[in-house]
Each structure stands twice: as C-alpha cells, then as structure tokens.
C-alpha cells in the first residue's frame, strides 16, 4: 500500500512530464506524454478530494432544498423529499457520484422553478451554490 | 507496408507528373484534435527540376472532439482558398482510402510557421502581439464581409434566415449537451434557458462563420504575420457576431482575461473587426453571442468527455478537453450569468 496515493500520482506525473517527455522522438509523442502527465495530476487531485467535493456539493444542495421546500410543485416536492432522506450507498466514489448526480438534477429542476416563479432570492442562492460548486471542482495548477 | 509507403504509393498514382515522388519523413503532429494530423516531406522532379515540399495529411480517427464531415471542411478550404482570408491549399480529398484505411485529405504545408499561443507571452512574439492581433481580427472582419454566395459555400451548407441563426445554432449545441452529458450540467442548462429567453435580433448579414476562430487556429511566421487560418470543420453560414464572440471567449487566454486571445484588449479587437467588416457590434446581440460562445465550447468539452469515455480512441486531448476545459468553461459561464457574479474569469457583458 502507498498511503499517500495523491503524492504517488503526482510523482508519476512529474516523471512523465520532466523525465520521459524529453526522451520522446516526435512532437506528437511529447505532447501526448505532457497531456497524460497533466491528467495524472488531475487524477491525483480527484483521488484526494473526489469524495469530499461531491459530499460538500450534496450537503449544500440539501440545505438549499430544505430551505426551498415551500411552494414547490407537488412532483418536485416529492422528489426533493425523497432526496433529503437518501444517503450514498457507500463512500465509494461511484456511489457518491451517483447521489451527486441526483443532487445536480434537483438543482436544475429547482432553478427552472425559481426562474418560472420569478423568485429572485432563490435564483441568487442557486447561482451562489453553482459558483461554490464550480470553485470546489476547479483544477488549477 | 508503413503508412508513409502506403501514402507514397497513393500519391504516385494521383500525381503521375511528379516523377520520382518519394516521402522522406512522415510524423504525426499534435493539434487538429478532430483528425489525426501528420506532416510529411516529399521529394520529386517536376518539369526537370528537383523539388522538396511539405504537406499535411489529415486522416479520420475513430473518435474526435467534433463529429464533422471531412468533405464539408475540405470544400470550405476550397471555397476560401484564394480569397483575402489565407488558408492552406487543399489538394486531395479521399473518401475511399483503400490501403490507407480511413478517409483523409492532403493539403500543402504552410512552411516556417507555428500556431502555439504560449509564444504570445514571451519574446520575441510578445512584442508582436498587437501586430498579430490586428491581422487576426482584420482577417475575421474580411471573412464577415464576404457573402456566402460569393464564396459558393451556399451550395453545400445550410442557408438559414438571418432571424434564425441564433436559434439554429443553439438548438444544435443544446442537443449535443443533452445527448453527450455523462453527468448533470446545471450551469449549461441555466445558460440554455437564458439564451432561449432572449434571442438576439436578426443577423445584420449572413456570412461564412469559421466556427472555431481563435488563437491556436492560425499559423503565424517569425515576423508575426498570419499566413493561414486552420480548422474549418465547424464552418457554417450564420451571424458574423458568432465568430467574433468565440474569438473573445475568456477561455482562450486563460487565466488572463485582459488580453483577448492573448493578444490585445477586447475593445481594440472589436474596433478592428468593425473596421474590417463594416459592421457594428450591437451590445445586446453581442451579449447573447458571448454567452452562446461559452455554452458551445462547454458542449464541445462535454462531448469530448463522452468520446473519451465511450469512444474507441483514447487520445489524451479528449480527456484534457473533457476535464480541464469543462471545469474552466463552467466557471466562465457562472461569471457570465450569475446575478451575484464577481467576474473573476469573465468580464461583465
């Protein structure tokens, strides 16, 4: 076991981009190696934070939905209620991602509702949430 | 038989007047994510003179960023070649490739040029940014000034009414997102709704829209002169503002939003384009096209994620586009649309 898997992936990315890229014979190979190295760095980040970012998104969506339950169309209200009672099947990234998808679908539905109802306050809350989500998933190096 | 020998045999049949036609080197080059792109150098004798010339060979991959017809792009090159918009000379389009396995095209290489945008940040090219930018948006303005009928592209492209350009493009790219998204896209969906609520006025005129006009898709030489505009696979007839908005998207110079395309302030680019095109940029219409540009880019990145996940080609560019670019484009769209935007990545519209 390599306990610091993120560091291991970053090290491999560094080896590819600095060591191996220089040994390639064509620009296509060098470019591909560079991109794979960059993707390994993304994977390192995702390995470290993937569950956390999704759980944070899900929890903030729960708060938004909990505060917005009044005046929702009945069908949406039922789905929101069902979501609020659901937890991820496990902490495997795939299970958390599945629940994350449901959260995002409900954010979209709620956003449509806020726009149709002319609910500016809710609209602003949703945009703030979307901005926080986008920041949370940012991949800047 | 190697790819070089197969191509050599094919071209000897195509160009019998070039005696002793031999390919000296052929290697794949990066870029051109929608096709496998190779550069090769050939030697031959023509009219008694020895010649050595570079060519570009573009072959269909089994998966690409953009699902487009090769003949569409090739015919567009043919239409534009010889006008005031510089493009490489298109030479061969082969839809029945035989030994070469997949359809391909051959174009003349534009020698001694490069397309890298990173150069704009460092000398000597950082000193030529204004010059390159002046040409970049002048060329685009000239393209906007030519009618599709004059180019002949109306013979193979859909001709939309000026009032329908925006709706036509939005429907297509919203469809791509709907079809290819692997995960829900609340920001893209919000952008689509916003665009559908407020369509822009009809196009001032119809023109050939390049569809991917940005730094990185033109070749410039050591003097800072633009020699060719590349990658016409998304070309279509539409509103001239579409290309202008695309060329100014904050993604291209990321993360520096002060220089459009890494070259010059956006208001200067717009002025140059207006002068060359003879058109005026209507602020409200342009707002729509700028949001659309970011949405269309997001659709391409979403589509490339799907291609990487489910397609046969595992080209790393597909994953880079699908992952990093989706992330950045989402941040740009939030900046574009949020009523509480802090405009960290995109200017206020």
């Amino acid at each position: 076991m390599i306990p610091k898997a993120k560091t291991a992936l970053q090290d491999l990315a560094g080896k590819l981009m600095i060591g191996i890229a220089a040994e390639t014979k064509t620009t296509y190979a060098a470019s591909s190696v560079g991109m794979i190295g960059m993707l390994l760095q993304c994977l390192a980040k995702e390995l470290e934070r993937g569950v956390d970012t999704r759980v944070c998104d899900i929890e903030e969506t729960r708060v938004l939905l909990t505060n917005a339950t009044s005046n929702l169309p009945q069908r949406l209200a039922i789905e929101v209620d069902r979501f609020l009672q659901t937890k991820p099947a496990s902490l495997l990234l795939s299970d958390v991602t599945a629940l994350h998808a449901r959260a995002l679908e409900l954010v979209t539905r709620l956003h449509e509702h806020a726009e149709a109802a002319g609910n500016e306050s809710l609209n602003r809350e949703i945009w703030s949430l979307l901005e926080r989500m986008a920041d949370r998933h940012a991949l800047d190096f | 038989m190697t790819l070089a020998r197969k191509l050599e045999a094919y071209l000897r049949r195509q160009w019998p007047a070039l005696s002793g036609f031999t390919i000296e080197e052929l290697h794949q080059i990066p870029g051109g994510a929608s096709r496998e792109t190779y550069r090769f150098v050939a030697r031959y004798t023509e009219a008694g003179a020895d010649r050595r010339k570079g060519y570009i060979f573009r072959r269909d991959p089994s998966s690409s960023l953009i699902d487009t017809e090769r003949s569409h792009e090739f015919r567009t090159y043919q239409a534009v070649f010889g006008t005031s918009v510089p493009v490489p000379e298109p030479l061969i389009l082969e839809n029945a490739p035989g030994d070469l396995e997949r359809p391909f095209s051959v174009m003349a290489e534009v020698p001694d040029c490069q397309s890298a945008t990173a150069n704009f940040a460092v000398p000597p090219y950082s000193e030529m940014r204004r010059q390159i930018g002046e040409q970049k948006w002048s060329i685009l303005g000239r393209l906007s000034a030519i009618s599709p009928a004059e180019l002949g592209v109306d013979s193979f492209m859909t001709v939309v009414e000026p009032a329908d350009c925006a709706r036509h493009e939005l429907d297509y790219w919203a469809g791509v997102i709907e079809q290819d998204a692997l995960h829900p896209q609340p920001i893209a969906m919000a952008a689509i709704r916003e665009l559908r609520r407020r369509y822009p006025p009809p196009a001032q005129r119809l023109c050939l829209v390049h569809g991917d006009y940005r730094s990185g898709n033109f070749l410039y030489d050591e003097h800072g002169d633009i020699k060719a505009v590349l990658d016409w696979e998304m070309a279509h007839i539409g509103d001239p503002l579409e290309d202008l908005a695309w060329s100014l998207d904050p993604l291209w110079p990321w993360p520096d939003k002060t220089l459009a395309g890494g070259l010059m302030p956006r208001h200067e680019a717009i002025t140059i384009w207006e002068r060359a095109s003879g058109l005026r940029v209507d602020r409200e219409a342009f707002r729509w096209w700028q949001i659309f540009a970011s949405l269309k880019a997001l659709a391409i990145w979403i589509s490339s994620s799907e291609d990487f996940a489910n397609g046969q080609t595992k080209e790393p560019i597909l994953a880079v586009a699908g992952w990093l670019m989706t992330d950045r484009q989402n941040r740009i769209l939030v900046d574009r649309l949020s009523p509480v935007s802090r405009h960290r990545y995109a200017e206020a519209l």
Side-chain angles (χ1 to χ4, degrees):
Chain A
M1 174 185 175
I2 299 177
K4 293 184 177 175
K6 175 190 172 188
T7 307
L9 274 176
Q10 285 173 328
D11 289 345
L12 288 170
K15 178 71 179 167
L16 261 185
M17 292 197 285
I18 297 166
I20 295 174
E23 300 295 319
T24 54
K25 291 180 180 170
T26 66
T27 53
Y28 172 75
S31 165
S32 296
V33 167
M35 283 190 278
I36 292 169
M38 196 190 310
L39 288 163
L40 279 177
Q41 289 189 332
C42 294
L43 285 167
K45 274 199 170 187
E46 198 67 356
L47 183 70
E48 178 72 6
R49 70 179 192 182
V51 169
D52 182 61
T53 51
R54 286 159 176 75
V55 167
C56 285
D57 289 352
I58 291 166
E59 288 309 311
E60 290 197 12
T61 301
R62 284 189 202 283
V63 172
L64 177 77
L65 293 171
T66 302
N67 294 337
T69 46
S70 59
N71 299 322
L72 290 184
Q74 189 182 12
R75 202 166 151 189
L76 179 56
I78 291 168
E79 287 182 46
V80 165
D81 193 48
R82 193 177 297 148
F83 172 78
L84 292 174
Q85 295 172 41
T86 307
K87 291 186 174 175
S90 76
L91 287 180
L92 287 175
L93 189 56
S94 53
D95 285 333
V96 177
T97 299
L99 188 60
H100 186 257
R102 286 188 59 194
L104 295 188
E105 283 165 6
L106 285 174
V107 169
T108 300
R109 299 272 304 281
L110 187 69
H111 206 172
E112 289 168 350
H113 164 73
E115 290 169 356
N119 188 335
E120 269 308 305
S121 164
L122 181 56
N123 186 43
R124 284 170 178 267
E125 278 187 59
I126 293 169
W127 275 112
S128 294
L129 172 63
L130 292 174
E131 183 173 7
R132 289 195 299 279
M133 285 181 176
D135 284 346
R136 203 172 283 137
H137 291 263
L139 285 162
D140 291 325
F141 297 104
Chain B
M1 198 191 301
T2 64
L3 180 61
R5 296 289 81 80
K6 289 176 185 173
L7 182 59
E8 185 180 277
Y10 172 89
L11 291 174
R12 281 179 174 172
R13 291 194 299 274
Q14 292 293 316
W15 294 333
L18 309 185
S19 67
F21 187 90
T22 308
I23 292 181
E24 286 191 335
E25 50 187 88
L26 178 144
H27 54 262
Q28 194 166 359
I29 56 177
S34 53
R35 304 267 184 274
E36 284 177 6
T37 306
Y38 300 79
R39 174 181 183 270
F40 67 92
V41 175
R43 273 190 186 279
Y44 54 87
T45 303
E46 185 179 30
D50 287 340
R51 306 222 185 264
R52 187 172 189 275
K53 189 173 173 182
Y55 298 88
I56 300 296
F57 168 68
R58 300 189 78 201
R59 185 164 70 159
D60 279 18
S62 40
S63 178
S64 81
L65 274 179
I66 305 152
D67 298 324
T68 51
E69 289 291 331
R70 77 201 66 79
S71 62
H72 176 92
E73 182 182 26
F74 191 82
R75 293 177 76 181
T76 306
Y77 272 112
Q78 287 178 314
V80 177
F81 184 71
T83 70
S84 60
V85 176
V87 294
E89 183 181 9
L91 298 170
I92 290 175
L93 174 68
E94 181 56 84
N95 290 313
D99 285 348
L100 286 154
E101 298 163 9
R102 278 170 269 142
F104 63 87
S105 62
V106 177
M107 293 188 293
E109 182 190 30
V110 180
D112 305 318
C113 283
Q114 49 191 321
S115 62
T117 57
N119 289 339
F120 301 152
V122 292
Y125 293 103
S126 56
E127 308 301 318
M128 303 176 190
R129 283 196 298 237
R130 176 160 299 278
Q131 174 192 342
I132 297 172
E134 177 87 32
Q135 292 174 68
K136 175 183 174 180
W137 280 287
S138 292
I139 290 169
L140 183 61
R142 293 202 296 270
L143 179 65
S144 300
I146 308 172
S147 80
E150 192 179 335
L151 288 169
V153 294
D154 55 342
S155 66
F156 62 95
M157 291 182 180
T158 302
V159 181
V160 291
E161 293 296 322
D164 292 336
C165 294
R167 190 183 306 274
H168 185 267
E169 288 304 303
L170 180 58
D171 284 351
Y172 178 80
W173 290 104
V176 168
I177 292 173
E178 189 178 331
Q179 184 175 318
D180 288 351
L182 300 172
H183 202 66
Q185 301 289 333
I187 296 169
M189 292 297 119
I192 291 168
R193 291 194 303 275
E194 166 67 15
L195 291 170
R196 285 196 167 135
R197 275 193 295 271
R198 285 182 257 273
Y199 279 106
Q204 298 169 70
R205 73 163 74 110
L206 292 178
C207 75
L208 174 62
V209 174
H210 177 280
D212 193 9
Y213 195 86
R214 60 176 172 81
S215 296
N217 272 346
F218 57 79
L219 295 172
Y220 56 93
D221 68 11
E222 61 183 339
H223 307 295
D225 289 330
I226 293 180
K227 295 296 185 184
V229 178
L230 309 174
D231 288 345
W232 292 76
E233 57 259 54
M234 290 194 286
H236 57 274
I237 295 171
D239 189 322
L241 291 181
E242 182 183 345
D243 264 343
L244 181 63
W246 181 263
S247 74
L248 298 176
D249 194 88
L251 184 71
W252 312 130
W254 183 276
D256 177 8
K257 64 178 182 189
T258 59
L259 295 179
L263 293 167
M264 60 171 46
R266 48 186 285 114
H267 68 274
E268 292 180 22
I270 291 171
T271 300
I272 293 165
W273 179 86
E274 285 184 327
R275 196 168 55 231
S277 68
L279 298 171
R280 284 269 165 252
V281 172
D282 173 86
R283 188 185 171 100
E284 270 309 298
F286 200 49
R287 177 183 182 277
W288 193 95
W289 283 109
Q290 286 176 98
I291 297 168
F292 171 77
S294 295
L295 178 77
K296 171 182 165 180
L298 182 57
I300 293 170
W301 316 139
I302 286 170
S303 189
S304 65
S305 287
E306 194 276 336
D307 252 358
F308 183 76
N310 300 327
Q312 293 171 14
T313 301
K314 298 300 178 188
E315 284 293 326
I317 183 67
L318 293 170
V320 169
W323 199 350
L324 275 85
M325 299 301 114
T326 298
D327 152 46
R328 292 174 184 178
Q329 207 76 55
N330 267 325
R331 284 188 269 166
I332 289 169
L333 270 170
V334 167
D335 254 17
R336 293 270 199 228
L337 294 169
S338 171
V340 289
S341 173
R342 286 177 282 163
H343 297 296
R344 290 174 297 165
Y345 308 107
E347 70 294 334
L349 297 178

